Amino acid sequence: MSTPKAPHLAILQTAKDGPAEGARILQPAGWPTPKGYANGVAADGRIVVTGGVIGWDDQGQLPTSFVPQVRQSLSNITAILAEGGARPDHLVRLTWYVVDMDEYLSSLKELGQVYREIIGSHYPAMALVQVVRLVEKEARVEIEATAVVPR
């Protein structure tokens, strides 16, 4: 019986506002380079986790359309991270829940601009899931975040 070989991993060079010190982007050798996310991230430090964050503003108002909800959701995440002593470059994972995958896909250019404005050019591991609906009926997107603050 032969033992399967594990894929070789490459550690990618990152942009100056890539992952924080102590975090490494994991990229198996030979895999296509992902655009707008990482396949994996390894990090040591203190974990900061958000719940599912929607696009409410500080008055509890929710924008009516998708991209403004994403903008506010990402802004809310950065505010929560700051409360925990974390920055956007400490993010190691984002899980996006959307009610309409086509709405997400048709907004990619705008979403990329909004993401870079708020998070920067740091792309953690991400998952994108379409759901039937979210708890708040008018919400179009909900995002969970995990950050690791270096020791």
Side-chain angles (χ1 to χ4, degrees), residues 4-124:
K5 292 184 179 181
H8 297 298
L9 294 178
I11 306 302
L12 296 180
Q13 296 296 324
T14 58
K16 67 178 181 173
D17 59 344
E21 184 177 330
R24 298 179 316 281
I25 302 296
L26 305 175
Q27 175 67 19
W31 283 25
T33 302
K35 293 181 176 120
Y37 67 96
N39 286 306
V41 179
D44 293 317
R46 182 175 50 82
I47 297 173
V48 177
V49 179
T50 73
V53 178
I54 64 171
W56 276 332
D57 65 16
D58 58 1
Q59 302 298 311
Q61 300 299 309
L62 193 62
T64 58
S65 59
F66 182 71
V67 173
Q69 285 192 21
V70 169
R71 176 184 295 282
Q72 188 63 51
S73 296
L74 293 173
S75 294
N76 293 346
I77 286 169
T78 62
I80 295 166
L81 293 178
E83 283 293 312
R87 303 183 312 255
D89 62 313
H90 293 137
L91 287 167
V92 296
R93 181 168 185 78
L94 292 173
T95 303
W96 296 54
Y97 301 94
V98 299
V99 295
D100 186 340
M101 188 66 71
D102 291 330
E103 184 174 46
Y104 173 89
L105 292 171
S106 67
S107 303
L108 286 176
K109 186 174 182 177
E110 268 186 291
L111 290 174
Q113 292 170 340
V114 165
Y115 182 92
R116 286 185 300 278
E117 286 173 24
I118 298 166
I119 304 297
S121 295
H122 168 57
Y123 302 104

